Amino acid sequence: MAEIATVSTAVSWAPRGAWAGIAQPGSFGATGGAGVLATLLDGFGLATLIAAPGAAPALSRIVEARLGIPLPQAPKIASGQAHDAIWAGPDQWLLRAASRDGFAGLLAELAPHAAVSDQSDARAAVRLSGPRVRDVLAKGVMLDLHPAAFAVGDVALTSIAHVGVQIWRLADGPDGAMFEILVPRSMAGSFWAWFTASAAEFGCAISAAPAPRPR
């Protein structure tokens, strides 16, 4: 009787950031000064919060008591020392933590009060700024991003190059207007292909945000 050999194979899974294999620090496009700055964001905690009918005010009070920020009742972002609450639709929000340390425990605390779903590994995020950032975004964002129409703290659900995204405006930095964009992780490559093609004429410098410190 023939013997059947068995082979035991050890499998090691290494975590990969949402931008791994897609984008990395460096530069591309026109030389002579970057018109756009892209900061790749990673390591944050992210979850959806959906309130039951009529329960949004109570949920907002709980989040504010716990984190010091209310849940916006309009398309806005509310930012605290370590967390952001980002409007995502009527009675729906994204809760973002600067670090994933302790994030699961926080979500467990909120779970009795809302439908909670951890999305930390499901989205890719990038921060865009620079003197030509609006020129780049105008190539794909079907919104008026003029300061008079899209103020600091405003949030929008829209699409870029047929990719559904969430975009918000942060306070202006030393390089001018600053935006953050949240993209489904499975579509990060498609988004980045659009971005590099759109930003090349202005020149782009890419950096990676420092890894968050455990809190």
Side-chain angles (χ1 to χ4, degrees):
M1 183 176 179
E3 294 184 0
I4 300 176
T6 59
V7 178
S8 176
T9 303
V11 178
S12 176
W13 297 95
R16 287 166 54 90
W19 296 110
I22 298 173
Q24 60 184 2
S27 62
F28 66 85
T31 58
V36 186
L37 307 175
T39 303
L40 308 175
L41 307 177
D42 212 344
F44 54 85
L46 188 73
T48 56
L49 303 181
I50 302 177
L59 177 61
S60 183
R61 288 193 294 270
I62 291 168
V63 171
E64 187 166 12
R66 178 66 172 78
L67 304 177
I69 53 175
L71 296 177
Q73 301 303 309
K76 297 283 186 178
I77 177 173
S79 297
Q81 182 177 1
H83 297 85
D84 303 303
I86 307 157
W87 184 91
D91 295 344
Q92 299 181 45
W93 300 269
L94 289 174
L95 179 64
R96 183 172 64 169
S99 168
R100 296 188 190 183
D101 183 59
F103 191 57
L106 171 62
L107 298 187
E109 290 182 37
L110 296 176
H113 310 286
V116 178
S117 177
D118 194 328
Q119 300 290 315
S120 301
D121 293 313
R123 310 290 179 93
V126 62
R127 182 180 301 134
L128 301 179
S129 61
R132 306 305 298 271
V133 64
R134 284 193 177 89
D135 296 308
V136 173
L137 292 175
K139 296 182 180 185
V141 179
M142 304 300 289
L143 297 171
D144 184 355
L145 298 179
H146 188 278
F150 200 73
V152 171
D154 280 355
V155 172
L157 297 167
T158 185
S159 63
I160 297 177
H162 305 291
V163 177
V165 304
Q166 195 157 359
I167 182 171
W168 54 87
R169 184 179 165 202
L170 301 175
D172 292 355
D175 301 302
M178 188 179 301
F179 300 87
E180 286 188 352
I181 300 176
L182 207 59
V183 183
R185 183 166 177 159
S186 60
M187 299 300 292
S190 297
F191 169 84
W192 195 252
W194 167 84
F195 174 72
T196 53
S198 299
E201 69 168 302
F202 307 115
C204 179
I206 309 167
S207 62
R213 296 180 179 180
R215 296 179 182 273

